Amino acid sequence: MVVVAALAEPARAQRVDAPLAAPGQSQDRPAATAGDPIVVTGRPLPPKEEIRALARAITPPNPSDAPLPRFHDSVCFGSAGLDRPTLEAIGDRLAADAEQAGLTLAGDGCKPNVITLFVDHVESEVAKLVQTKWWVFGDRSPGEIRSITREKGPVRAWSNSETRSRDGDQIDSGGFLKVATASRVVASVRRDTLASIVLIERAALLGKSPRQIGDYVAMRALAGVRPQRVRDRETILTLFDSETTAVPAELTAFDRGYLHGLYAGAANAFASSTQGTIVREILKAKGKEEAPAARNGSAVHP
């Protein structure tokens, strides 16, 4: 069953921060006592070059003189493979992330263009799609599809996009696209993400909360990023990295800045320009995160 979550309402009254448990296990955790200490630890702002390098590392390959692909139409979420309450909690979180990034949510009865499937064997499921439903890979080249099928780990994700004019006009039936006069400041076209698909192995969800899962899907589906080379970094993209010891409980300042920066600028901005906006938004988000800790006199560790 597919649960479509194009939700503008607040998350339902349930514990979206509770980690998923194995069948037969309780998801309840002992409540903290009044005497438990609360420790707030701040971290220094990482160098700008480090942030820029990480942002480039996770961004899909794209010519610097072409816009980065992103959603321009309203987004509609569909998911399957878990119990309905959990799917709804993940969908609520994903919808909140989309709104914060500046995206518009589609209404009830919409056709999903962001699809998350929870499966038992992700490798074999992707192989089946290649054999029987190859069209779900959209404009992915044969080489890109092979890269997806050869990935390691419990997650596979990809996005399909198309080139449109800067105003959103599509290629006509004759194969022509009418574009505005070329500019040295912005591109005459934009890249529209049409759909994003994320497959996650169910066994890898144990101990992870719907909040974390929704945030992870937001980065993979709405931004189309790649999680390679992010080990031990402050990003939700480490969620399914088996060698990462400390995983964030939700989107980090880096993640929020990346999403907001991707959708903040002009749709037809050059990739290099958008990368600059992303870095600035990450630094802004990091600064806001550090300010309360500094005001409260929190301990700062290198």
Side-chain angles (χ1 to χ4, degrees):
M1 179 178 181
V2 175
V3 179
V4 177
L7 306 173
E9 303 90 1
R12 291 166 177 77
Q14 60 184 68
R15 294 190 56 190
V16 298
D17 60 332
L20 302 188
Q25 286 185 321
S26 171
Q27 292 193 12
D28 293 334
R29 291 179 293 180
T33 63
D36 288 343
I38 298 177
V39 179
V40 179
T41 303
R43 294 188 179 184
L45 204 65
K48 185 175 181 179
E49 285 303 317
E50 182 181 336
I51 291 176
R52 180 181 288 112
L54 180 56
R56 286 177 176 171
I58 67 174
T59 300
N62 198 77
S64 61
D65 60 347
L68 290 177
R70 71 185 196 188
F71 281 99
H72 293 93
D73 296 330
S74 57
V75 289
C76 178
F77 307 112
S79 58
L82 298 175
D83 61 273
R84 188 181 183 91
T86 300
L87 290 176
E88 290 178 342
I90 294 170
D92 285 343
R93 182 64 178 183
L94 185 51
D97 291 341
E99 284 192 307
Q100 289 182 5
L103 285 154
T104 302
L105 304 181
D108 293 337
C110 58
K111 182 178 181 180
N113 54 6
V114 177
I115 301 172
T116 309
L117 303 176
F118 300 95
V119 300
D120 284 332
H121 304 287
V122 69
E123 187 173 340
S124 61
E125 290 296 332
V126 172
K128 289 178 185 177
L129 290 176
V130 173
Q131 293 296 323
T132 63
K133 298 182 179 179
W134 52 267
W135 45 267
V136 302
F137 293 95
D139 63 335
R140 299 300 91 197
S141 68
E144 290 171 326
I145 295 175
R146 283 194 295 271
S147 296
I148 294 170
T149 59
R150 293 172 182 173
E151 281 183 33
K152 303 299 181 182
V155 181
R156 301 290 186 276
W158 65 93
S159 298
N160 303 326
S161 60
E162 72 175 10
T163 299
R164 295 183 181 179
S165 75
R166 70 181 187 185
D167 299 317
D169 297 322
Q170 297 176 275
I171 298 174
D172 63 26
S173 57
F176 294 96
L177 178 64
K178 295 181 181 180
V179 298
T181 304
S183 168
R184 298 175 63 180
V185 180
V186 291
S188 56
V189 297
R190 71 189 200 193
R191 293 287 295 173
D192 281 36
T193 299
L194 305 179
S196 287
I197 299 93
V198 181
L199 275 70
I200 304 177
E201 199 155 309
R202 274 189 282 259
L205 301 177
L206 299 183
K208 299 171 177 61
S209 71
R211 179 187 297 268
Q212 288 176 307
I213 299 165
D215 286 352
Y216 179 89
V217 173
M219 288 294 288
R220 295 303 305 270
L222 304 181
V225 298
R226 305 170 301 167
Q228 293 89 344
R229 300 187 293 277
V230 297
R231 183 164 299 157
D232 296 324
R233 304 295 186 94
E234 288 188 64
T235 169
I236 196 66
L237 293 174
T238 61
L239 184 61
F240 295 103
D241 188 333
S242 60
E243 297 186 28
T244 296
T245 55
V247 176
E250 59 185 3
L251 288 176
T252 65
F254 175 89
D255 301 324
R256 292 193 303 272
Y258 190 103
L259 277 171
H260 193 267
L262 175 63
Y263 286 94
N268 59 327
F270 293 126
S272 55
S273 175
T274 301
Q275 284 283 4
T277 302
I278 288 171
V279 172
R280 288 192 295 273
E281 289 297 323
I282 293 171
L283 289 170
K284 188 186 300 182
K286 289 291 291 183
K288 290 180 179 178
E289 182 182 72
E290 295 302 320
R295 288 196 300 268
N296 294 332
S298 304
V300 177
H301 300 284

